[in-house]
């Protein structure tokens, strides 16, 4: 078979019956990663994709060079104070990975980094380039410095499967200790005296379910299991309160949580439950002085903030009561104040609660923006570190002076090549869904771009995850070529509060898809958009597959990255990674016939027909543990066998995980590939529409 001929996947009919419904899955053989035929098929798809997109090589290289040329490759983050040290990371031109460093703190004022020059007296803690060596994939899972600043815990992954090896380093001597623990998950927490480190491990379904205690200097096989979560719907995690007085062991499903605490001075003690789990009640804590802050949703859909005495943490006294228009997201406690992170009208904000005086909200300079607390490890401080961005303002680091109540800009990410935010403009629009719901849309374009313009419409819409208006260097390559970029803040996300999420999950999941189509039609009808290329990843890839089935005529192309397109088969199989956990999000089709019928009516793989579909580019990774590679592989195979239109392309990274390729230059090349395909698709659609008189 020639590489410019579409691969034809063999059909091996496999029947399954649920709730009296028998379905034939002719491509289920692709789930066997060890089958040579599977690898051969994926490689044939890669060869075909490369052949079909070969004419874009020069454009890909141009875009890669644009991304690279706009990026300050040698750079430093703003140092963050913790104890007697300033912590920061830096990158060096030509190197794939970041370098994590620290510097003795001689004053309360952060040192001013000079790009390209390491700070005098710095100590390198983790050099990702040195650790990665020649490995084609490399990722750091956690880096955690002990409270006394003496020891570093760090973990590494060389395959993309998110199972890390944990090691420890003496930062005084630079020596890597003999302690080594394989198969750990993200995160971890130190005891107060740095004698013990707590970490989590995962089960065969990739669920973090155990918390272990490791005593520094002892063999890993002597580590103590301190907690095991037997309910397959729950994940566990371990951390410290910001005061570092309490270890916090959290267990949570999609809808329920339970927290245990332990005095960090006594790491071998027993954890005690803050409040036993109650289905549907979520809560989280932080500590300050003689009380805990408790953020919870008991009788409060959008959450309320309460306080609880340390001696009786189950007794909650309201501090910020529930509001229908404001979703409380997080609370960070400090020695003299607390910061509450919230969402209102689809945008984020921060409320300060002084120990003395009235609460107030921080004002930001742009109507469309994203702001959140960031990098605040020091418990006793008169400043609050914030991360800020908009669709035209590059990522910025501010300190908010709590005494003067003013924002102090510490750094704005440099965008080279003469970027000027004044050359671009951002907007907030509202589309109207079929049921009358108003759906927010964030839009950015270069000034002077006239409509209807080619458009990338991005969406996600699951897990109460919000896609906030943010800046992208790579996106400039689209905007400067006359594109509009828009984010459809569809139901299922969290942009408009908890109800917004609930109206796009379980048996209301289709709202996510119809909202996206409504936004696309609004963009065309209101004159913003000509050809629209839809883009989304992971659960947003499910959205892409669903809208391709729902309204293929609306889109000039679809980019689906690590897409969750075989959702019904996956959620029916409790042996697969994360399935049981996901039942609270999608429903349980294995045991509930109504859920089964509803999911079958929308899942992309199940609903392909013989209509004309737009061209589709699916991008996946062989070692992805969250959305397995075979979902897009099966999807593309069935599209090619059943649907008209296309072409339907599959690109599989053969040595990466859910996040794609790990090195920054490799990631830029992957983005350049996707953007070149989008540009080509929009240009082709514009030519096609001129010939037919349509506006697709």
């Amino acid at each position: 078979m020639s590489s410019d001929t579409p691969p034809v996947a063999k059909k091996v009919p496999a029947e399954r019956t649920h709730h009296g419904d028998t379905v034939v899955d002719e491509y289920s053989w692709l789930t066997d990663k060890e089958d040579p035929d599977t690898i051969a098929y994926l490689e044939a798809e890669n060869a075909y994709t490369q052949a079909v997109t070969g004419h874009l090589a020069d454009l890909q290289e141009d875009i890669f060079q644009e991304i690279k040329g706009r990026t300050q490759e040698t750079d430093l983050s703003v140092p963050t104070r913790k104890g007697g040290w300033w912590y920061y990371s830096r990158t060096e031109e030509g190197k794939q990975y970041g370098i994590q460093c620290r510097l003795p703190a001689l004053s309360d004022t952060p040192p001013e980094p000079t790009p390209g020059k390491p700070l005098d007296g710095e100590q390198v803690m983790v050099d990702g380039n040195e650790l990665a060596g020649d490995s084609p994939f490399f990722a750091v899972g956690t880096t955690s410095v002990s409270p006394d600043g003496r020891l570093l815990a760090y973990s590494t992954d060389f395959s993309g499967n998110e199972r890390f090896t944990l090691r420890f380093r003496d930062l005084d001597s630079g020596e890597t200790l003999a302690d080594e623990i394989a198969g750990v998950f993200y995160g971890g927490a130190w005891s107060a005296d740095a004698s013990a480190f707590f970490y989590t491990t995962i089960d065969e379904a990739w669920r973090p379910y155990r918390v272990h205690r490791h005593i520094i200097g002892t063999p890993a096989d002597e580590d103590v299991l301190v907690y095991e979560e037997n309910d397959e719907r729950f994940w566990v995690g371990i951390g410290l309160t910001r005061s570092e007085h309490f270890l916090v062991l959290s267990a949570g499903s999609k809808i329920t949580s339970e927290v245990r605490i332990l005095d960090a001075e006594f790491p071998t003690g027993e954890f005690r439950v803050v409040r036993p789990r109650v289905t549907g009640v979520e809560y989280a804590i932080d500590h300050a002085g003689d009380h805990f802050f408790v953020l919870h949703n008991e009788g409060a859909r959008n959450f309320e903030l309460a306080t609880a005495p340390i001696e009786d943490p189950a007794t909650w006294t309201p501090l910020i009561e529930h509001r229908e228009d404001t979703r409380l997201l997080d609370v960070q406690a400090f020695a003299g104040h607390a910061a509450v992170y919230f969402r209102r009208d689809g945008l984020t904000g921060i409320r300060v609660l002084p120990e003395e005086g009235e609460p107030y909200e921080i004002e930001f300079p742009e109507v469309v923006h994203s702001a959140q607390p960031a990098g605040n490890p020091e418990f006793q401080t008169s400043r609050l570190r914030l991360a800020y961005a908009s669709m035209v303002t590059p990522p910025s680091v501010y300190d908010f002076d709590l005494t003067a109540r003013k924002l102090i800009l510490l750094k704005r990410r440099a965008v080279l090549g003469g970027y000027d935010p004044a050359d671009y403009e951002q907007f907030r629009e509202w589309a109207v869904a079929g049921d009358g719901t108003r759906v927010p849309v964030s839009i950015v374009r270069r000034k002077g771009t006239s409509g209807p313009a080619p458009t990338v419409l991005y969406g996600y819409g699951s897990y109460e995850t919000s896609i906030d208006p943010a800046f992208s260097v790579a996106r400039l390559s689209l905007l400067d070529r006359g594109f509009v970029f828009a984010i459809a803040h569809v139901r299922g996300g969290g942009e408009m509060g908890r109800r917004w999420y609930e109206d796009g999950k379980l048996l209301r999941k289709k709202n996510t898809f119809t909202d996206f189509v409504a936004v696309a039609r609004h963009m065309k009808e209101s004159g913003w958009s000509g050809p629209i290329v839809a883009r989304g990843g992971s659960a947003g890839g499910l959205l892409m597959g669903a809208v391709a089935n729902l309204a293929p005529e609306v889109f000039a192309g679809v980019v689906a990255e690590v897409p969750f397109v075989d959702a019904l088969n996956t959620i029916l199989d409790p042996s697969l990674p994360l399935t049981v956990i996901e039942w609270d999000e999608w429903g349980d089709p294995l045991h509930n016939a109504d859920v089964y019928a509803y999911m079958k009516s929308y899942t992309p793989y199940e609903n392909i027909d013989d209509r004309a579909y737009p061209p589709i580019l699916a991008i996946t990774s062989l070692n992805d543990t969250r959305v397995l590679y075979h979902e897009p592989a099966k999807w593309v195979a069935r599209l090619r066998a059943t649907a008209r239109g296309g072409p339907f392309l599959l690109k599989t990274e053969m040595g990466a995980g859910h996040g794609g390729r790990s090195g920054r230059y490799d990631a830029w090349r992957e983005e350049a590939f996707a953007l070149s395909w989008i540009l080509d698709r929009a240009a082709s659609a514009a030519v096609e529409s001129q010939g037919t008189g349509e506006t697709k």
Side-chain angles (χ1 to χ4, degrees):
M1 180 184 295
S2 168
S3 62
D4 58 0
T5 302
V8 177
K10 65 182 180 181
K11 295 184 178 182
V12 183
E15 291 189 355
R16 59 170 172 76
T17 301
H18 294 284
H19 308 292
D21 180 44
T22 299
V23 176
V24 177
D25 184 357
E26 64 271 47
Y27 301 114
S28 63
W29 63 272
L30 281 166
T31 62
D32 186 358
K33 189 177 177 180
E34 305 304 319
D35 185 345
D37 286 350
T38 297
I39 300 302
Y41 175 74
L42 297 177
E43 290 175 341
E45 287 283 6
N46 280 349
Y48 173 62
T49 296
Q50 184 174 7
V52 170
T53 61
H55 66 291
L56 300 176
D58 289 344
L59 179 58
Q60 290 173 33
E61 182 62 25
D62 288 346
I63 295 173
F64 170 77
Q65 293 297 337
E66 288 168 13
I67 297 171
K68 186 171 180 287
R70 291 185 175 113
T71 302
Q72 190 160 286
E73 298 178 65
T74 300
D75 203 1
L76 287 87
S77 67
V78 177
T80 298
R81 177 73 178 266
K82 176 67 170 64
W85 298 87
W86 291 106
Y87 291 87
Y88 58 97
S89 62
R90 58 182 179 86
T91 55
E92 293 183 3
E93 184 175 355
K95 294 186 176 181
Q96 294 269 31
Y97 303 103
I99 303 167
Q100 297 186 39
C101 309
R102 69 178 186 176
L103 185 75
L106 303 179
S107 72
D108 291 334
T109 303
E112 293 188 14
T114 301
K117 295 182 179 179
L119 296 174
D120 291 338
E122 79 170 15
Q123 180 184 64
V124 174
M125 299 190 300
V126 175
D127 185 336
N129 306 285
E130 180 181 298
L131 291 174
D134 296 327
S135 174
F137 182 91
F138 172 76
V140 174
T142 188
T143 54
S144 178
V145 178
S146 60
D148 61 7
R150 185 173 54 87
L151 298 177
L152 171 73
Y154 69 99
S155 61
T156 53
D157 168 21
F158 290 90
S159 70
N161 69 0
E162 298 180 276
R163 292 195 180 191
F164 299 87
T165 298
L166 178 65
R167 295 180 176 86
F168 301 88
R169 181 170 293 165
D170 185 321
L171 293 175
D172 290 338
S173 66
E175 175 190 3
T176 299
L177 306 185
D179 310 50
E180 185 173 306
I181 308 166
V184 308
F185 197 57
Y186 295 97
W190 288 97
S191 64
D193 63 359
S195 66
F197 189 79
F198 293 79
Y199 62 92
T200 58
T201 56
I202 56 180
D203 62 14
E204 292 304 312
W206 247 261
R207 174 181 68 102
Y209 77 122
R210 287 176 170 172
V211 176
H212 308 259
R213 181 180 64 238
H214 174 72
I215 302 299
I216 302 300
T218 65
D221 58 12
E222 295 180 7
D223 290 357
V224 174
L225 175 65
V226 298
Y227 181 78
E228 180 172 345
E229 177 55 60
N230 294 315
D231 190 327
E232 294 181 345
R233 299 170 301 169
F234 283 71
W235 287 32
V236 299
I238 186 72
L240 278 171
T241 57
R242 299 193 60 268
S243 66
E244 298 184 336
H245 285 184
F246 290 93
L247 287 152
V248 179
L249 194 163
S250 301
S253 72
K254 299 290 184 183
I255 61 172
T256 305
S257 56
E258 183 177 67
V259 174
R260 289 169 169 79
I261 55 175
L262 174 64
D263 189 326
E265 297 281 356
F266 304 99
T268 59
E270 294 293 324
F271 283 83
R272 59 183 173 121
V273 177
V274 170
R275 186 187 279 195
R277 66 187 66 173
V278 174
T279 300
V281 175
E282 302 167 70
Y283 70 95
I285 70 164
D286 204 355
H287 164 250
D290 60 357
H291 63 275
F292 292 112
F293 287 106
V294 183
L295 192 68
H296 71 89
N297 70 338
E298 185 178 50
R301 183 197 300 268
N302 277 331
F303 287 71
E304 74 174 21
L305 183 63
T307 59
I310 289 176
E311 300 77 15
D312 185 15
T315 299
W316 300 345
T317 302
L319 181 63
I320 298 179
E321 296 186 346
H322 175 263
R323 286 175 53 169
E324 280 294 336
D325 67 343
T326 303
R327 168 70 160 94
L328 303 184
L329 300 171
D330 189 23
V331 59
Q332 293 189 359
F334 297 84
H337 66 281
V340 179
Y341 178 40
F342 67 85
R343 184 177 299 281
R344 186 184 301 135
D345 295 329
L347 298 172
T348 53
I350 297 165
R351 190 178 193 188
V352 178
L353 309 180
E355 196 169 59
E356 297 181 2
E358 293 298 314
Y360 59 93
E361 295 180 5
I362 299 174
E363 295 184 1
F364 295 102
E366 295 170 284
V367 174
V368 179
H369 67 266
S370 173
Q372 62 188 50
N376 289 289
E378 188 64 53
F379 188 63
Q380 298 195 28
T381 178
S382 61
R383 289 187 170 194
L384 179 67
R385 179 66 56 84
L386 307 174
Y388 177 90
S390 77
M391 299 183 84
V392 301
T393 301
S396 307
V397 178
Y398 284 94
D399 268 357
F400 181 73
D401 187 317
L402 293 156
T403 303
R405 295 194 181 184
K406 68 176 183 178
L407 287 167
I408 302 169
L409 179 63
L410 300 179
K411 181 173 182 177
R412 179 157 290 151
R413 182 183 296 174
V415 181
L416 307 182
Y419 174 76
D420 185 350
D423 292 338
Y424 303 82
E425 52 190 355
Q426 57 183 349
F427 306 88
R428 171 59 60 92
E429 284 266 317
W430 296 84
V432 180
D435 62 1
T437 299
R438 297 176 74 240
V439 181
V441 191
S442 296
I443 302 170
V444 64
R445 67 183 181 185
R446 188 179 179 95
K447 287 182 179 178
T449 301
S450 58
T455 298
V456 171
L457 182 61
Y458 187 88
Y460 187 76
S462 292
Y463 305 112
E464 202 179 2
T465 297
S466 300
I467 306 300
D468 290 318
F471 183 81
S472 166
V473 164
R475 188 189 300 149
L476 297 176
S477 293
L478 291 177
L479 303 184
D480 288 352
R481 288 175 170 85
F483 267 68
V484 165
F485 180 87
I487 303 169
H489 301 289
V490 295
R491 281 175 282 185
E495 285 89 341
M496 300 291 286
R498 176 53 66 92
R499 185 186 293 275
W500 196 252
Y501 166 50
E502 293 173 347
D503 282 348
K505 65 181 292 194
L506 299 173
L507 297 180
R508 293 192 287 273
K509 186 63 203 170
K510 290 182 184 178
N511 286 332
T512 302
F513 318 136
T514 54
D515 282 0
F516 191 86
V517 173
V519 170
R521 288 180 169 141
H522 170 84
M523 293 294 290
K524 288 189 173 185
E525 291 166 3
S526 57
W528 285 98
S529 301
I532 295 178
V533 177
R535 187 175 186 181
S538 196
L542 166 66
L543 171 62
M544 295 300 100
V547 300
N549 288 333
L550 186 63
E553 73 284 355
V554 173
F555 303 102
V558 174
V559 179
E561 295 163 288
V562 290
F564 185 41
V565 283
D566 192 19
L568 181 58
N569 284 322
T570 293
I571 300 301
L572 279 166
D573 187 352
S575 70
L576 291 177
L578 310 182
T579 287
V580 175
I581 291 171
E582 296 289 307
W583 285 346
D584 284 333
E585 178 76 18
W586 311 98
D588 176 4
L590 185 62
H591 302 101
N592 187 313
D594 291 338
V595 171
Y596 175 87
Y598 187 76
M599 288 194 70
K600 187 182 178 184
S601 73
Y602 73 71
T603 49
Y605 183 63
E606 302 288 339
N607 289 282
I608 298 168
D609 58 31
D610 64 355
R611 288 179 296 166
Y613 280 66
I616 292 174
L617 171 62
I619 301 172
T620 189
S621 296
L622 185 64
N623 296 329
D624 193 340
T625 59
R626 298 175 185 239
V627 179
L628 302 184
Y629 71 90
H630 61 75
E631 295 207 21
K634 291 170 58 180
W635 181 51
V636 167
R638 184 171 279 182
L639 278 165
R640 198 172 287 141
T642 306
R644 292 177 285 115
F648 310 117
L649 305 181
L650 174 67
K651 187 175 189 295
T652 304
E653 288 298 331
M654 304 301 283
H658 192 62
R661 299 173 75 176
S662 58
R664 59 175 176 162
Y665 295 100
D666 293 339
W668 294 346
R669 288 200 178 277
E670 284 301 291
E671 181 65 7
F673 171 78
L675 294 184
S676 68
W677 187 87
I678 289 170
L679 285 162
D680 184 63
R681 181 78 291 277
S684 298
V687 172
E688 293 163 8
S689 66
Q690 289 175 359
T692 63
E694 296 179 354
T695 58
K696 180 176 178 180

